[in-house]
Amino acid sequence: MQYRPIGKTGLQVSALAMGCMRLPEDNPELAGQVVDEAIAAGINYFETTRGYINGKCQHLTAPGLKGRSRGLIVSGKAGIGPDTTADSYRTEIDLQMEILGVDYLEFFQVGWFSLDKLDLLTKPGGALEALDAARSEGIISHI
């Protein structure tokens, strides 16, 4: 597997990443095998969110990450909406980490974002406040 730097993070990510959106929701055993095979092939970046696979994505991904997450680059992701607050976003971050069984996420992405939502992201008490606090606490490395 080839590895490449990702931005200015200092991290080396596999040339192929594992987007976990298409894991087989009706076959958790096969989903675990897919994650295992990806790791065996040298894939070290796993992109997840609760929003994929009818809320099952991270539940399907977690068994394959168990006990190995410190050597992997795992990202979470959540969207923002008019009711998003720093508290609700922090709850989402914590819930995703709990489901995945990890104590930190290398990346947390704001998904389904467009410029018309910029104020929702940056307003006082908004999602960016929660992301910045989580990064300051060391549970997210990069936003």
Side-chain angles (χ1 to χ4, degrees):
M1 178 64 64
Q2 294 179 2
Y3 297 88
R4 300 181 177 135
I6 185 165
K8 297 179 181 179
T9 65
L11 295 171
Q12 293 286 317
V13 296
S14 50
L16 296 175
M18 173 88 186
C20 299
M21 182 178 189
R22 298 285 181 217
L23 290 172
E25 71 177 293
D26 59 342
N27 191 336
E29 185 178 318
L30 179 58
Q33 290 172 353
V34 170
V35 173
D36 286 342
E37 289 295 322
I39 293 169
I43 292 174
N44 70 349
Y45 182 78
F46 292 81
E47 191 266 342
T48 73
T49 181
R50 281 192 327 120
Y52 293 161
I53 318 173
N54 301 315
K56 297 178 185 174
C57 171
Q58 292 175 329
H59 293 281
L60 293 166
T61 307
L65 301 179
K66 188 171 183 144
R68 302 189 269 201
S69 64
R70 278 290 171 181
L72 301 173
I73 299 168
V74 180
S75 73
K77 176 168 50 175
I80 56 172
D83 298 329
T84 301
T85 65
D87 289 341
S88 68
Y89 220 72
R90 178 54 185 259
T91 298
E92 181 65 25
I93 293 165
D94 292 341
L95 180 58
Q96 289 191 30
M97 289 176 26
E98 180 181 334
I99 292 168
L100 287 166
V102 299
D103 57 1
Y104 84 108
L105 292 165
E106 197 66 57
F107 293 95
F108 201 90
Q109 303 171 60
V110 178
W112 309 281
F113 181 77
S114 57
L115 287 178
D116 63 318
K117 295 180 181 177
L118 185 59
D119 288 343
L120 298 173
L121 177 67
T122 59
K123 69 181 179 184
L128 190 57
E129 192 175 290
L131 290 165
D132 189 48
R135 185 174 57 187
S136 294
E137 295 168 27
I139 61 171
I140 293 173
S141 297
H142 307 283
I143 301 169

